[in-house]
């Protein structure tokens, strides 16, 4: 009985020893396989380039100037609310629209003019809160371009358009239809 | 493996064949090249147009007909407390401390005056004076005896002006003592 127990213990140790050797052996085989695969893949990747070619890419930036107004039409109306008893002058203002620009050229300014050669009433425009450049003094619009915004060179920005319509009681009633043109030009 | 370079002109490479269809292929190549160049030029032109340095805004300035009238000076009080030495009657009193102002960009307007008191005990009259030149024509003095509108200034055309309002009050001895209250209204209206 005692010999049988010793025999069983021997068999157990023998099996455990061989099992451990088997695991170590499998690990070695797996490591070798992975190394071989890496070498093969590396060789394939390196050997995939069969030639090169090139072309020249030139980026050229030309003079670009873009301008726009936030709204195409403005209506100004002088009515009873804009008049004071005893005063001949009546005014109305509008600050609802903006002028936007972008230019990559230095030494630039913005001018303003109207197409209406003989208006009944006076129309003025002023740049309010420009993000770049300096507002010129309030412009009384005529068919001659006048400075509206100066020193804007190489910038993009916006400014509010403050229109002021002025009429005298002695001028009576009526309407003026202006096309106001804003132009970025050389300063 | 040969990597093929992909560019936008691959299809326009000049043909190398020298076979029978070479001439036709050459013509086709030139046509394609010309079309491509034309498209490029037109695209550039369109781009430049879109990048214009001017912009326009339509603006309409309308002036409607307007008529404004106002008074400087609040309520006033005329007190008859003196006797006219020669007439042996209460002496009339005058107040000229109120100013009337108006503005009209219309034509053929006038300013009228009215009192709400049509049964006053004492006489009250009103007249404009020190009129702004060219702003209208002073009407004759108005004596309030009813509550109708009476012309005060006429011929107001596209003008702004002002005048002093002269109030005169008188009382007969027979009327005794007391008081009248008037609410006097000035109106700018069509002639």
């Amino acid at each position: 009985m005692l010999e049988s127990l010793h025999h069983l213990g021997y068999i157990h140790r023998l099996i455990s020893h061989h099992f451990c050797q088997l695991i170590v052996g499998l690990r070695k085989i797996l490591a070798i396989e992975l190394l071989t695969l890496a070498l093969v893949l590396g060789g394939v990747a390196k050997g995939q380039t069969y030639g090169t070619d090139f072309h020249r890419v030139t980026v050229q930036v030309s003079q670009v100037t873009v301008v726009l107004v936030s709204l195409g039409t403005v209506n100004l109306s002088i009515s009873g609310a804009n008049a004071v008893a005893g005063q001949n002058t009546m005014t109305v203002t509008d600050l609802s629209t903006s002028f936007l620009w972008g230019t990559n050229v230095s030494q630039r300014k913005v001018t303003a003019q109207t197409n209406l050669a003989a208006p009944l009433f006076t129309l003025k425009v002023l740049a309010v809160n420009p993000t770049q450049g300096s507002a010129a003094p309030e412009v009384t619009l005529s068919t001659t371009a006048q400075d509206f915004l100066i020193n804007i060179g190489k910038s993009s920005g916006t400014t509010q358009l403050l229109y002021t319509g002025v009429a005298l009681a002695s001028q009576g009633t009526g309407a003026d239809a202006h096309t106001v043109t804003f132009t970025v030009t050389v300063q | 493996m040969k990597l093929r370079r992909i560019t936008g002109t691959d299809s326009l490479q000049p043909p190398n064949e020298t076979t029978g269809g070479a001439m036709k292929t050459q013509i086709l190549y030139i046509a394609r090249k010309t079309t491509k160049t034309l498209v490029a030029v037109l695209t550039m032109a369109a781009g430049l147009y879109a990048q214009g340095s001017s912009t326009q805004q339509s603006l309409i300035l309308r002036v409607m007909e307007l008529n404004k009238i106002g008074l400087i000076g609040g309520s006033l009080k005329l007190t008859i407390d003196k006797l006219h030495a020669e007439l042996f009657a209460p002496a009339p009193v005058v107040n000229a401390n109120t100013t009337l102002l108006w503005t009209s960009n219309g034509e053929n307007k006038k300013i009228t005056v009215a009192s709400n008191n049509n049964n006053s005990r004492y006489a009250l009259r009103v007249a404009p004076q020190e009129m702004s030149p060219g702003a209208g024509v002073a009407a004759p003095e108005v004596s309030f005896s009813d509550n109708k509108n009476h012309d005060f200034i006429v011929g107001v055309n596209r003008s702004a002006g002002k005048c002093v309002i002269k109030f005169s009050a008188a009382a007969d001895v027979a009327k005794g003592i007391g008081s009248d209250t008037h609410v006097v209204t000035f109106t700018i209206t069509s002639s």
Side-chain angles (χ1 to χ4, degrees):
Chain A
M1 184 65 178
L2 191 60
E3 286 181 358
S4 297
L5 287 175
H6 281 295
H7 187 65
L8 282 174
Y10 172 74
I11 291 171
H12 176 73
R13 286 193 298 274
L14 191 63
I15 290 171
S16 298
H17 174 72
H18 283 289
F19 183 75
C20 289
Q21 281 188 332
L22 181 62
I23 294 300
V24 170
L26 285 174
R27 283 179 177 172
K28 285 180 180 176
I29 289 167
L30 185 60
I32 290 166
E33 287 291 334
L34 287 173
L35 183 61
T36 304
L37 184 62
L39 288 172
V40 169
L41 287 175
V44 168
K46 186 178 180 182
Q48 197 176 15
T49 302
Y50 297 106
T52 59
D53 201 350
F54 70 92
H55 60 174
R56 180 174 288 110
V57 177
T58 301
V59 177
Q60 182 174 339
V61 179
S62 303
Q63 292 186 4
V64 178
T65 299
V66 288
V67 291
L68 62 91
V69 287
S70 61
L71 195 64
T73 304
V74 173
N75 286 296
L76 285 171
S77 184
I78 293 179
S79 59
N82 307 105
V84 177
Q87 292 186 7
N88 193 25
T89 303
M90 301 163 285
T91 62
V92 63
T93 59
D94 181 279
L95 194 60
S96 66
T97 60
S98 298
F99 172 75
L100 303 89
W101 76 90
T103 181
N104 60 356
V105 190
S106 58
Q107 299 286 313
R108 288 293 183 271
K109 66 178 180 180
V110 181
T111 61
Q113 66 186 105
T114 177
N115 70 326
L116 196 57
L120 295 171
F121 313 106
T122 302
L123 179 63
K124 301 176 182 180
V125 67
L126 175 68
V128 175
N129 298 324
T131 57
Q132 299 287 336
S134 303
E138 189 174 43
V139 174
T140 298
L141 287 166
S142 69
T143 52
T144 302
Q146 298 173 78
D147 288 356
F148 168 72
L149 193 61
I150 58 176
N151 300 324
I152 65 158
K154 282 185 187 175
S155 71
S156 61
T158 65
T159 183
Q160 289 178 284
L161 297 171
L162 175 60
Y163 285 107
T164 302
V166 182
L168 302 177
S170 55
Q171 292 173 318
T173 60
D176 286 335
H178 295 262
T179 298
V180 182
T181 302
F182 298 93
T183 305
V184 174
T185 185
V186 178
Q187 184 163 313
Chain B
M1 181 177 68
K2 172 77 173 174
L3 290 176
R4 183 168 176 270
R5 179 162 55 111
I6 300 172
T7 71
T9 57
D10 270 3
S11 60
L12 294 175
Q13 293 300 320
N16 296 321
E17 315 82 305
T18 54
T19 59
M23 180 65 76
K24 185 179 177 184
T25 310
Q26 286 285 355
I27 291 170
L28 187 61
Y29 164 72
I30 292 169
R32 284 177 178 172
K33 192 81 174 177
T34 305
T35 304
K36 193 82 174 179
T37 305
L38 191 61
V39 168
V41 168
L42 289 174
T43 304
M44 186 180 294
L48 288 173
Y49 178 77
Q51 292 169 357
S53 58
S54 291
T55 187
Q56 294 184 329
Q57 190 171 44
S58 297
L59 188 147
I60 298 175
L61 173 58
R62 288 187 182 85
V63 180
M64 321 300 281
E65 181 177 302
L66 57 91
N67 301 285
K68 286 280 184 176
I69 192 166
L71 288 166
I72 298 177
S75 299
L76 55 95
K77 190 174 186 179
L78 291 94
T79 303
I80 299 173
D81 57 359
K82 291 186 173 56
L83 191 68
H84 195 287
E86 297 176 358
L87 299 176
F88 294 101
V93 293
V94 173
N95 181 297
N97 296 326
T98 310
T99 301
L100 178 70
L101 306 101
W102 67 92
T103 296
S104 174
N105 62 356
E107 296 179 342
N108 299 319
K109 308 296 182 203
K110 66 180 181 180
I111 297 171
T112 62
V113 63
S115 168
N116 70 332
N117 190 335
N118 61 355
N119 191 25
S120 58
R121 180 187 298 184
Y122 311 107
L124 178 64
R125 296 187 297 274
V126 64
Q129 62 181 28
E130 299 178 28
M131 289 270 300
S132 296
V137 178
E141 186 178 56
V142 173
S143 180
F144 293 118
S145 57
D146 52 35
N147 52 11
K148 294 180 180 177
N149 286 310
H150 300 271
D151 287 353
F152 186 68
I153 295 171
V154 297
V156 175
N157 291 299
R158 294 184 181 183
S159 64
K162 66 178 181 179
C163 71
V164 171
I165 303 170
K166 186 185 81 170
F167 285 102
S168 302
D172 293 338
V173 176
K175 298 290 183 180
I177 60 172
S179 67
D180 286 334
T181 300
H182 297 259
V183 175
V184 180
T185 302
F186 297 88
T187 304
I188 186 165
T189 182
S190 296
S191 293

